[in-house]
Amino acid sequence: MTRPWTVGLTGGIGSGKSAVAERFAARGAAVVDTDLIAHALTAPDGAAMPALRAAFGDGPIAADGSLDRAAMRALVFADPAARARLEGILHPLIRSESARQCAAARTPYVMLVVPLLVESGDWRTRCDRLCVVDCPEALQIARVQARSGLAEPQVRAIMAAQASRAERLAAADDVIDNAGPLETLDAQVDALHGRYLGLARR
Ligand SMILES: CC(C)(COP(=O)(O)OP(=O)(O)OC[C@H]1O[C@@H](n2cnc3c(N)ncnc32)[C@H](O)[C@@H]1O)[C@@H](O)C(=O)NCCC(=O)NCCS
Ligand SMILES: Nc1ncnc2c1ncn2[C@@H]1O[C@H](COP(=O)(O)OP(=O)(O)OP(=O)(O)O)[C@@H](O)[C@H]1O
């Protein structure tokens, strides 16, 4: 499948990927968000639900037939084998749907948002450039807690399943610093958007 010039956007949980992606979208980039794709796959009639029910039974399935996200979160971030089983079902579906959305984009470049870009699969080979959203771990935890009410140990268990801040920064071509207020993102996104338009045209 041919694809447009693509920037991979990643960062740890709560680092600010969505906040950054919406600013690139406002400037005209197509955004393909793998978290949104994962949510659609696990909605009541989602394409992954039959396989998830077969693999996990009815325990993590909600009454409406969608994935019970809190139940699955509690299961997989306490049990690496269960997480591998979940990812084995979802990741191939996420990969094919995201490739389809990237190929369908009609913008100068695509921003492909993948929380596990550094950790898993062939994501890096699908991106021409890697942009990391970065903030200190204490801020990630505080922001996730403020958003979701998760207890700190739960947030830490999710972070333990992800690459470290240093690993992500080592892989980055570009880094967006999200340690300050949200307004500080705009000038950084402006500068990178200009650079990406130039690189995509070459
Ligand atoms: C475990 C699930 C049900 C929990 O749902 P929940 O609504 O709490 O989280 P949501 O899907 O909105 O993801 C929020 C964040 O959690 C982190 N996260 C999600 N899945 C994983 C994972 N497998 N490993 C590490 N971190 C993860 C990411 O930072 C992500 O941005 C859900 O995260 C899931 O289905 N994960 C498996 C799919 C996956 O790997 N998605 C990442 C995109 S490739
Ligand atoms: N600079 C900031 N100042 C204050 N709050 C912020 C800032 N950046 C993001 N947030 C808030 O922190 C939370 C996490 O941000 P966001 O959803 O953009 O991160 P994410 O990396 O997409 O998260 P996830 O990995 O969970 O999908 C959100 O509630 C968001 O509004």
Side-chain angles (χ1 to χ4, degrees):
M1 225 182 302
T2 58
R3 59 166 175 82
W5 198 80
T6 302
V7 181
L9 184 71
T10 195
I13 186 164
S15 57
K17 294 180 295 297
S18 302
V20 166
E22 89 191 18
R23 283 164 173 76
F24 279 103
R27 287 156 177 82
V31 171
V32 175
D33 185 329
T34 54
D35 273 342
L36 287 184
I37 292 170
H39 281 241
L41 289 168
T42 52
D45 289 319
M49 292 315 299
L52 290 177
R53 193 186 286 273
F56 291 94
D58 288 337
I61 313 287
D64 66 358
S66 66
L67 183 63
D68 180 339
R69 311 192 71 79
M72 187 58 92
R73 193 194 307 123
L75 179 64
V76 300
F77 293 114
D79 178 355
R83 193 169 78 246
R85 220 173 338 136
L86 174 68
E87 292 176 350
I89 293 168
L90 287 180
H91 285 186
L93 297 169
I94 294 171
R95 270 197 254 284
S96 57
E97 173 58 16
S98 61
R100 194 193 63 74
Q101 291 187 15
C102 286
R106 293 290 172 268
T107 48
Y109 71 91
V110 174
M111 184 134 278
L112 176 59
V113 188
V114 188
L116 304 180
L117 199 154
V118 170
E119 292 86 339
S120 73
D122 65 345
W123 293 109
R124 187 62 186 89
T125 66
R126 298 186 186 201
C127 303
D128 298 287
R129 201 159 174 99
L130 177 54
C131 180
V132 167
V133 186
D134 179 64
C135 73
E137 289 185 354
L139 267 181
Q140 285 178 255
I141 294 168
R143 287 173 183 167
V144 173
Q145 287 197 273
R147 181 185 59 188
S148 63
L150 288 181
E152 182 173 337
Q154 286 180 285
V155 185
R156 286 197 183 276
I158 298 171
M159 289 168 70
Q162 303 187 341
S164 69
R165 188 179 179 196
E167 285 167 331
R168 261 190 304 268
L169 288 174
D173 296 306
D174 306 304
V175 177
I176 294 183
D177 174 9
N178 190 27
L182 278 169
E183 303 75 68
T184 60
L185 293 176
D186 289 304
Q188 299 181 75
V189 170
D190 276 336
L192 284 175
H193 178 62
R195 189 183 306 167
Y196 295 157
L197 285 176
L199 288 168
R201 245 183 255 119
R202 282 203 279 176

